[in-house]
Amino acid sequence: MSHQALILAGGRATRMGGVDKGLAMLSGRPLLAHALAALSAQMPPPERVWVSANRNLDVYAGFGCPLLPDSLPDYPGPLAGVLAALERDDGAVWLVMPCDAVRLPADFSRRLLAEVAAGRQAASARDREGWHPSLLALGPGLRAGLAAYLAGGGRSIRGWLAGLDHVEVAFDHLFPNLNTADALAALEAEPRAD
């Protein structure tokens, strides 16, 4: 299925001490580089990969992807990045992932996109440790509803998805959740199993 991809790297990363998470290092490379590599191995590949970023734009530009800064002020969260993408192209199918999605199963995009192709508005990933609402596929035509949700004070991806025709897709693969420096260090020390 034809789609565009959005990597979310525009947040405050408060749980990581405010560092620019997409530029945090893992095995000598920024998290964004790992996320791009994981995405490039997916089939079908996206037509284009966008990066949601609000800081260090000159550094992010060096990765060769077009940048989408938030259109809303004060870093209101990952949904602001999603809104910027939908404002760019509300008719597209979008595959969305955070910049710490450094390991993806080979069938990640195919399985999520299949749910959208079957008529769902959204599909997100779940592993045996929990739900990952920021790993998702979005169908077209969601911009107005998301803009209204944000204008009403909504900030949670979970809350927004609750109002959509949404399905969780179960994967055996464990998705790392790198929200703290300790989690990043633990993944760095972990032997690769895949």
Side-chain angles (χ1 to χ4, degrees):
M1 168 180 260
S2 174
H3 66 285
Q4 300 193 58
L6 176 68
I7 299 179
L8 299 168
R12 293 181 183 177
T14 52
R15 286 175 286 180
M16 288 190 81
V19 301
D20 196 333
K21 190 190 219 178
L23 303 179
M25 301 300 279
L26 174 68
S27 302
R29 295 167 52 213
L31 285 180
L32 181 63
H34 291 277
L36 286 167
L39 184 59
S40 71
Q42 294 294 303
M43 296 302 290
E47 289 178 1
R48 183 174 233 180
V49 179
W50 301 81
V51 175
S52 166
N54 293 304
R55 299 182 282 170
N56 300 304
L57 298 183
D58 54 337
V59 179
Y60 280 114
F63 287 90
C65 298
L67 305 180
L68 280 174
D70 291 352
S71 58
L72 300 175
D74 301 324
Y75 302 106
L79 284 178
V82 174
L83 179 63
L86 300 185
E87 288 172 339
R88 176 80 187 169
D89 190 348
D90 192 34
V93 170
W94 287 90
L95 185 71
V96 180
M97 55 188 263
C99 60
D100 63 356
V102 297
R103 297 181 183 174
L104 298 174
D107 60 351
F108 168 74
S109 65
R110 180 181 57 78
R111 291 186 60 207
L112 291 184
L113 292 168
E115 295 293 341
V116 171
R120 297 278 193 170
Q121 290 179 299
S124 60
R126 170 177 284 282
D127 64 21
R128 64 182 178 268
E129 293 185 351
W131 180 29
H132 298 269
S134 61
L135 292 166
L136 72 159
L138 298 172
L142 300 178
R143 182 194 58 76
L146 177 55
Y149 177 77
L150 287 165
R155 294 293 179 263
S156 161
I157 296 177
R158 293 168 187 260
W160 179 56
L161 291 176
L164 300 180
D165 179 9
H166 162 256
V167 64
E168 295 175 27
V169 179
F171 290 88
D172 292 330
H173 175 96
L174 284 177
F175 298 98
N177 194 352
L178 305 177
N179 285 326
T180 66
D182 287 347
L184 192 60
L187 185 65
E188 182 93 57
E190 189 180 291
R192 285 297 301 260
D194 52 354

